[in-house]
Amino acid sequence: MYTLFIGNKNYSTWSMRPWILLKQAGIDFHEHLIQFDSFEPDSQFKTEILKLNPTGKVPTLVDADITVWDSLAICEYVAEQHPEKKLLPQDQKLRARARCISAEMHSSFQNLRNLCPMNIEADLTHIGEQLWAEHEQLRAEVSRIDQIWSERPSEDSFLCGEFSIADAFYAPVVMRFVCFKLPVSASSQAYMQKILALPSVQQWIADAKQEQMFVPFDEPYRQNRDVYLRD
């Protein structure tokens, strides 16, 4: 059985991606949470994760004597090991698109990452309004994501037809958009609701809220847990 090492569910977007993929596909795995305390070299988090991979980051997947790090590599590895789950589209054109938009998410959208970190338990709508007004590059990145989501094959489909790696990669983006209430088209709002309704996403959200941990270096807009909590 796989072991997936992840960080705090309230904050860790990269951990969320392979976790959602495995859960949604019904693939058994053992979850090992390494709590964020600090990213300093001598922190407990770094000490533990560096025993597993040289980057010192989560997620990490261990499959017997094979260790895979980096969320995109993990998702590709899982798809390769479980072709029956069809985690990449069978159609060549859609499969190429799934890989392109997943890689784009993996390497782009730095303003969104820096300004709007995932915080599942928080409602930062007022911060989102301010950021939206002040940051042109953030608006441009959201517009690009809106375009990607709106170009799915049909209004009621996932990004490339059936659920795939691409949807796992954009699930944390949905969480950011919810937290900061960033404006998107009606088509993208429908896609967001489709992602939020997934059992795997519902479980991740519930687990994140149950953590009740406040990690200051992941909280640029709150001073403690008692403010801006989502109902």
Side-chain angles (χ1 to χ4, degrees):
M1 182 185 293
Y2 299 129
T3 298
L4 182 67
F5 293 82
I6 63 172
N8 295 53
K9 289 183 177 178
N10 191 52
Y11 304 108
S12 185
T13 58
W14 296 114
S15 297
M16 185 180 183
R17 293 178 168 104
W19 192 97
I20 291 293
L21 188 77
L22 288 162
K23 281 286 184 181
Q24 197 60 33
I27 299 170
D28 290 337
F29 68 99
H30 173 68
E31 172 188 323
H32 186 111
L33 173 66
I34 305 177
Q35 294 181 354
F36 293 157
D37 58 341
S38 166
F39 292 156
E40 294 299 317
D42 60 348
S43 67
Q44 182 177 348
F45 171 79
K46 284 293 186 183
T47 300
E48 189 166 350
I49 195 64
L50 280 168
K51 295 175 183 177
L52 297 168
N53 78 67
T55 69
K57 297 178 181 180
V58 286
T60 298
L61 183 79
V62 175
D63 179 16
D65 62 344
I66 298 174
T67 299
V68 188
W69 60 90
D70 187 282
S71 58
L72 186 54
I74 292 170
C75 290
E76 286 277 358
Y77 178 83
V78 170
E80 183 181 67
Q81 296 301 305
H82 300 273
E84 76 284 359
K85 298 296 185 179
K86 300 179 181 178
L87 297 175
L88 284 168
Q90 300 299 290
D91 177 82
Q92 184 181 31
K93 185 175 181 180
L94 287 174
R95 187 164 62 252
R97 177 170 176 79
R99 285 194 161 114
C100 286
I101 61 178
S102 297
E104 185 175 353
M105 181 67 254
H106 191 264
S107 62
S108 306
F109 308 116
Q110 291 304 315
N111 289 279
L112 178 66
R113 298 184 200 281
N114 295 335
L115 294 170
C116 303
M118 187 172 79
N119 194 325
I120 288 174
E121 72 172 12
D123 181 352
L124 299 175
T125 300
H126 65 297
I127 300 294
E129 292 172 350
Q130 181 180 346
L131 294 173
W132 187 259
E134 295 177 353
H135 295 275
E136 180 181 357
Q137 290 181 321
L138 174 64
R139 297 195 298 272
E141 290 179 0
V142 171
S143 177
R144 171 57 185 149
I145 293 168
D146 197 344
Q147 179 186 22
I148 290 170
W149 290 354
S150 298
E151 290 175 346
R152 59 195 189 278
S154 66
E155 190 68 15
D156 62 349
S157 76
F158 289 101
L159 290 179
C160 298
E162 299 300 319
F163 178 85
S164 72
I165 288 174
D167 301 290
F169 257 73
Y170 282 88
V173 181
V174 171
M175 305 314 304
R176 293 176 194 259
F177 283 19
V178 169
C179 176
F180 291 89
K181 205 171 183 179
L182 300 177
V184 292
S185 65
S187 176
S188 287
Q189 289 175 28
Y191 174 71
M192 289 172 62
Q193 291 305 311
K194 191 173 183 68
I195 292 297
L196 290 169
L198 291 173
S200 57
V201 173
Q202 287 289 307
Q203 184 177 344
W204 180 277
I205 292 171
D207 291 350
K209 290 180 177 179
Q210 288 177 0
E211 284 179 348
Q212 298 186 3
M213 292 184 61
F214 187 82
V215 180
F217 62 81
D218 260 329
E219 292 276 2
Y221 306 116
R222 299 196 300 170
Q223 284 69 52
N224 58 70
R225 274 200 74 247
D226 297 330
V227 296
Y228 310 138
L229 278 175
R230 186 172 299 280
D231 294 334

